[in-house]
Amino acid sequence: MALSMLLGTGAASAEPASAPDAVLRALLDDGAAATEFTPDFLQQVPRPALEQVLGGLRQQLGPVTGIETSGDGYTVLTETHRVPARIGLDAGGRVALLWFGTPEPRVADLAAAEALLTELGQDVAWLALRDGETLAAHRAGEALAVGSAFKLGVLSVLADEIAAGRRDWADVLRIGARHRSLPSGRMQDFPEDAPVTLHTAALAMIAESDNTATDLLLDTLGRDAVAARLGLAPGDLLSTREFFGLKADADLRMEWLAAEVSDRPALAARAARTLPPVAAVTGPHVDGLEWTLPLERLCALGAPLAELPLMQVNPGPVPPGAPWTRIAYKGGSETGVLNFTALLRDADGRDYCAALTVNDPGTVALDAAISAFGAFLRSLAATP
């Protein structure tokens, strides 16, 4: 059962008859039997389904020890976990909205948080820097598959071009057939020759991980420049369309993997002639067919970009609010690959890079990774 869920929505009053945190506490302690809900809520979430969710929370987390106000919601505390939650009541005190986020384990210190990270997959790397000082590191200099986190390299080259006056955020590009890729993102559905500004493409690439926007920018900036920024040979840097084409074609993929680096671009171009169906590329990641980068490089790439507003649109797995006053984020994933790279600032003005990569022959449990990464972040903020 996924615990990050929106259980129901409806019109909620700013002045309910009952205190929302008291109603939330009653739901978690005693279940839903004695609580009133709006008809709209119960239409979406019948009482038996709600009781199942609440019972699952009690079983996993244990008794509630407290509820704290947190931003526009609450944090539910148990002996073992912290759980973000939101609740909305109508004027009569009936529940109109209820949401629980991914539970975060409560750990004693940074070492205990790092122990949680080790359990996420076969190959795990993490890195935490504060104002350039290393707080925690494990295999941080080793190149592992990071999925779409490589897009930080694309943005880095673009930001330098703009800073040097060679390009402007308002410059217009046109989407061609060679740029059209598979989701994530929406630009693959844009019409042929649709005009897109550099800023729109960059925002989509980072906030939505739009693959078509990425290939458009990679084509515009040049593969050599982006590869150099990432520390890769140009022949090893794939567009997302090439990546999908190779992943879907086992024979061509084997030929590409066995080829000299100088021969790979021609094979990748062959793979990109036809865009495969999504179902053909959802299997486990293939060793050698990925964007492999060390966390040290991702943090170095991300730090100068963190002040860009487009880097702060999607906070990823980082809960907004205290202790962070700024969250910039880019991650990446495919089956068996997960990366979180977060550039953070705390209330004391200290800047952090917290990054995690997990590679596994099977799948990586996203909820478990979010939980462990949350505990890691909270421990970093508490480290003297």
Side-chain angles (χ1 to χ4, degrees):
M1 177 184 64
L3 295 181
S4 181
M5 59 185 70
L6 183 64
L7 294 179
T9 59
S13 168
E15 298 180 359
S18 306
D21 57 340
V23 176
L24 180 61
R25 179 69 180 259
L27 284 170
L28 291 167
D29 284 347
D30 305 319
T35 301
E36 292 189 68
F37 299 85
T38 64
D40 285 347
F41 184 101
L42 291 176
Q43 185 175 5
Q44 297 178 59
V45 188
R47 282 185 184 272
L50 178 59
E51 288 287 13
Q52 184 179 7
V53 170
L54 294 173
L57 280 168
R58 287 193 296 272
Q59 182 177 5
Q60 178 182 347
L61 308 176
V64 175
T65 59
I67 295 180
E68 299 176 346
T69 301
S70 178
D72 61 352
Y74 298 93
T75 298
V76 177
L77 302 177
T78 72
E79 291 291 340
T80 59
H81 288 81
R82 306 170 59 92
V83 187
R86 292 200 298 271
I87 186 170
L89 310 182
D90 71 0
R94 298 179 301 179
V95 176
L97 177 147
L98 184 62
W99 173 87
F100 296 104
T102 303
E104 174 191 309
R106 300 180 73 172
V107 295
D109 52 27
L110 182 55
E114 291 181 271
L116 293 176
L117 299 179
T118 65
E119 300 172 0
L120 295 175
Q122 177 176 283
D123 295 302
V124 185
W126 61 83
L127 176 63
L129 305 174
R130 182 169 65 200
D131 289 338
E133 177 187 354
T134 300
L135 298 181
H138 176 71
R139 299 176 66 178
E142 183 176 339
L144 297 176
V146 299
S148 286
F150 90 93
K151 295 169 185 177
L152 285 171
V154 181
L155 181 61
S156 177
V157 173
L158 175 59
D160 281 358
E161 289 279 290
I162 289 170
R166 291 187 289 271
R167 300 183 190 274
D168 188 274
W169 288 116
D171 290 349
V172 174
L173 311 176
R174 301 249 175 204
I175 297 175
R178 67 187 183 280
H179 307 128
R180 206 171 300 280
S181 189
L182 296 177
S184 55
R186 294 175 289 171
M187 284 192 184
Q188 71 277 354
D189 298 323
F190 282 23
E192 188 76 11
D193 210 35
V196 177
T197 66
L198 283 175
H199 190 275
T200 298
L203 176 61
M205 176 179 70
I206 297 300
E208 300 178 5
S209 209
D210 193 298
N211 291 321
T212 298
T214 303
D215 287 1
L216 177 62
L217 290 171
L218 184 60
D219 187 37
T220 300
L221 298 168
R223 194 169 309 222
D224 288 357
V226 175
R229 189 62 52 91
L230 291 170
L232 301 174
D236 284 338
L237 175 59
L238 295 169
S239 70
T240 70
R241 184 182 174 105
E242 292 166 348
F243 167 79
F244 290 129
L246 288 169
K247 189 167 184 182
D249 187 329
D251 291 338
L252 189 54
R253 180 176 67 244
M254 291 178 63
E255 191 176 350
W256 184 87
L257 289 169
E260 298 290 336
V261 172
S262 59
D263 295 331
R264 285 183 165 183
L267 296 169
R270 279 173 53 193
R273 289 173 186 168
T274 303
L275 196 60
V278 172
V281 299
T282 56
H285 81 282
V286 178
D287 286 341
L289 183 71
E290 246 284 355
W291 299 276
T292 56
L293 298 167
L295 294 179
E296 291 173 348
R297 185 170 293 274
L298 289 178
C299 282
L301 289 170
L305 305 172
E307 292 297 334
L308 292 175
L310 65 86
M311 280 286 294
Q312 301 171 32
V313 171
N314 181 357
V318 185
W324 312 118
T325 61
R326 185 205 68 199
I327 302 170
Y329 174 80
K330 183 72 193 90
S333 66
E334 65 160 322
T335 303
V337 171
L338 184 67
N339 172 268
F340 299 149
T341 299
L343 294 311
L344 310 167
R345 178 171 294 153
D346 67 15
D348 295 323
R350 299 179 296 183
D351 288 332
Y352 297 72
C353 179
L356 168 71
T357 296
V358 184
N359 289 180
D360 193 86
T363 60
V364 180
L366 181 59
D367 280 353
I370 292 173
S371 296
F373 193 64
F376 183 57
L377 295 180
R378 193 170 301 279
S379 298
L380 292 175
T383 300

